[in-house]
Structures are given as C-alpha cells and as structure tokens.
Amino acid sequence: MRVSELEKTKLESIINDVTNETEILEAETSNQISWDDATSWDESNESKLNVAAKTKGFLPVLQNRRFLILWSGQVFSQLADKVYLVLMIALIASHFQAANQTISGWVSAIMIAFTIPAVLFGSLAGVYVDRWSKKTVLVATNLLRGAIVLAVPFLLWLSQDRTPIFGLPAGFWVLLGVTFLVSTLTQFFAPAEQSAIPLIVKRRHLLPANSLYTTTMMALLIIGFAIGEPLLELTDKLLAELGINWSFGKEMIVGGAYAIAGLILLLLKTGETKEILPKEEETHIFEDIREGIRYLGKNHRVRNALIQLVILFSVFAALAVLAVRLAETIPAMKPEQFGFLLAAGGIGMALGAGFLGNWGQRFSHTNLSLTGSFGVAGSLVGLSLFTHQLWLALLMTTFLGAFAALVGVPMQTTIQAETPEKMRGKVFGLQNNAVNIALSLPLALAGVAEAFFGLKSVFLGLAILAVTGGLLTWYISRTGSVMSTKATRN
C-alpha cells in the first residue's frame, strides 16, 4: 500500500511538471505575433497583444473572484492577529500591571503562550488540513477565534474574585489560556490558507498571487502594530461619545475582525469535492508527518525552497532584535523608534513583491533566489557600515526588504507549485514549524551575540549566512537537476 502511495505522489509530481511546461508554452504561443510581413499588422494582432498583456502581472489574479475572497479574508484575519497582541497589552496594563511595575514580564508570558502552539502543533495541524476541507478550516478557525476573543470580558469577570494561582492573578491565566487557544487555531489557518492558493489560482499565476499575498502580509505587519493602539482607543472614545457604556469595545474590534474574515471565507469555492478530498483512514498522524519528511527528502526543489525560507526568516527575526540596538546607535533616533527601520524593510519587501508580480515570471525561481540572497547579504554589509547614519541605514533596510522578496516569494511559489495537493498540508505544516523555530532562536540569540561581538560583527555574520544559504541551495538545485535528468535517461 505504501509503494502505491509513493507512486501516486511521483505521478502527481510528473503531471504538475508537464502541466507547468504546457502552460508556459501556451503563454509563449499566445504572446507570439507574426512579423513576417510588416503589412500584416491588423486589429486581430492588436487583440492578441492585448490578450497576452492581460495574462501577465497582477491583473489575472485580481480578476480571479475566488482569490479576491481569500485575499479579503486574509486582510481581516491577519489584521486581527496583529491587533490581538496590542489588545493583550492593553488588558494587562488596565487589569494587572502595578503602578511602578514594568510590563515586559507580563508581555513575555503572553508571547510565550502565543509561540508554544506554533512549535507543538505546526506539523500536526498540517496533517489534519490535508484530511479536512480547506474552506471548512479557514471558516471555522476564524469564527472560533472571533468567539474566543469576544468571550474575554466575560471570562475576566468570572475570574476577578478568584484566588491567585502560582502567584499570578486568575484573570491573567485566562489571558494566557485564550492566547494559547487563539494561537493553536492559527496553526490550522496558516497551512489551510497556503494550501488553498494553488487550488484557486492557475499555476502560471502563482508568482503574482504570492507576491500580492506577501505584500499584504508585510503591509498588515506594519499597519497592524501601528494602528492597533490608536484604533482600540478610538473605539472606546467613539462608544463614550455615543453614550454606550460598553467595557468590551476593544474585544469587539478584534473578535469582529476574525468573525468578518470567517463570514467572507464562507463565500470561497476551492473546487474541492468529496472525491478528491483524502479519506480519514489507515495511516497514523505521525506516519503522515514522516511521509511529509520523506517527501521533502526526495524532492530537492521543495526542500531547498524550505531551507531558503528558514534562513530568510532567521535573518529577519534577528533584524527585529538588532533594530532596537541600531536605532540606539543612530544619533537622530531613539531606541523606541526602531519601528521606522522595520517599516522601511516592509516597504522594500512590498516593492520587491510588486516587481515580481509584474515581471518575475521572466526569470527562474532559482536565479531570483540566488540574486536575492546576494542582495540580502550586500544590504546587511551596508547596515554594518552605516550604523550611525539614519538615511543610509533606512536605505539599506529598504534594499534588504526588496531583495528578501526575491527570495521569499519565488521559494513560497516553488513549494506550492511542486507539492502535490494531497501533500500540501503536511509540507506547509512542516514549513510553519521550521519557520517558527527559525523565528524563535534568533530572537533569543541575536541580542546575546550583539552584546558579545558587537552590532557590526553580527550583521556581517548574518550576511555570510544569507549568501552561504543562497549558494548552497543553488548548487544543490543544479546538481539535483542533473542527477534527476541522468536517472530519467537511464
């Protein structure tokens, strides 16, 4: 039975490759216009040119109603994710923080509660996403997160007279539990969303679709944290002016955003049917995880793409920590203004993703990734040289984000395009697990490394990591392709 499943996976991979080549040939054929006779130019050729232009860039993706539904759900869901953390900080400040007490200890506990499910359940969630309807997972996880957040005021009211547990207020344990549940549901939403994109977008349009997805993600990362606190305060003020004495206005905004995302995704049609959905059957959960690992071991393109993403996220996680120190060294900045540096990186990534969406299909994913790796390394070297100049540091951070897009978007597209439908949940679950670990370790180690070796040395070390990872994955990809070709001929 196992041999049969592996043969099916190989066959699906071959079919994907043939489909990709066929679509490329069709796209190239549609772009060809006869120039044998200069007088042959007519309205029909002009029409062909217009049709060819419409098959490139973001336009085909934006005309895809199903993608627009998924994209809209992403906007509300990810915005709620970012504002949720701001909400937790606001609740801690108003309910638990003492007058002369720092809030960092409380917030660290919340962040740990948010991170644990990502490490524990990332791979398991991906296995279940393969077994369940993607639409059901997308809708249910958002509606459940909305209901949990909306229940926070009631749960805090129930716990207000309870005895402290291990020296902490019972209400704070409620917030830790709610955060754990919300993060656990997020582990199911993420692979389901990533698996749904190839179901509703044609293979040749995956690059612009992922460019738009990445641009939105980075924009919401900036906007969510930036507008979170003003938005929550504005809600309380608006309710007060309307004479509405509600103490749960903040929770209503975050929970409502999750709920809106769930309701929007109810309209999504992924094309899944009972015939193509995997049966919940014989294989054990951990056997499915091992199957995903075996698939990564055999498919060098998907494995290399995953390695590149892990390296990229490690660099950005370290940058999130080092940006505070960098802002401190720049005379025109304060440490708490480090967000401007991160925002510059986000703007650069949006610009890079925009370039890929319009012109990225002209280049191979491997070459884009290699170029991006060298660009990331060069930007990090630039940051190490300009630690005291504001505008040059902002420029280098913008370049860093732009070149990071050249790595992240093509590699995410490669994983989606090369992974068979029945394996996507497993692979994306493993990807989320690896990325979460890649985010956690640099957050813990970057500050320590900076204290021992200095800011310049750490930036140079990250540059070496980026360029080494790019060259290694490029080399493995090239040698793997040669070996695959020889095996096919034999």
Side-chain angles (χ1 to χ4, degrees), residues 123 194 296 306 309-310 313 411-412 415 425-437:
S123 299
Q194 292 163 339
L296 290 175
L306 181 58
L309 288 176
V310 168
F313 278 98
M411 292 301 96
Q412 187 64 55
I415 295 174
K426 303 179 187 69
V427 171
F428 288 132
L430 290 169
Q431 175 189 331
N432 289 335
N433 221 347
V435 165
N436 284 318
I437 294 173

Side-chain angles (χ1 to χ4, degrees), residues 46 105 256 356:
E46 185 175 356
L356 290 170

Side-chain angles (χ1 to χ4, degrees), residues 286-396:
F286 292 104
E287 176 59 27
D288 280 355
I289 295 176
R290 285 192 288 270
E291 185 179 356
I293 295 173
R294 284 196 294 269
Y295 176 79
L296 290 175
K298 294 179 179 179
N299 191 311
H300 66 275
R301 286 180 291 190
V302 175
R303 182 180 66 249
N304 292 345
L306 181 58
I307 292 172
Q308 281 285 73
L309 288 176
V310 168
I311 293 174
L312 180 65
F313 278 98
S314 297
V315 170
F316 265 80
L319 181 65
V321 176
L322 298 175
V324 180
R325 174 59 180 157
L326 180 60
E328 188 177 18
T329 63
I330 297 174
M333 293 189 73
K334 299 177 182 178
E336 58 267 26
Q337 293 177 317
F338 73 97
F340 288 106
L341 294 169
L342 297 181
I347 292 171
M349 183 166 283
L351 293 174
F355 166 81
L356 290 170
N358 285 289
W359 300 287
Q361 292 159 308
R362 301 178 182 179
F363 310 98
S364 73
H365 292 180
T366 302
N367 289 337
L368 284 172
S369 175
L370 183 63
T371 302
S373 297
F374 274 98
V376 168
S379 302
L380 289 168
V381 171
L383 279 175
S384 71
L385 298 175
F386 305 126
T387 54
H388 294 84
Q389 289 131 314
L390 174 59
W391 292 109
L392 289 174
L394 288 172
L395 182 63
M396 289 299 106

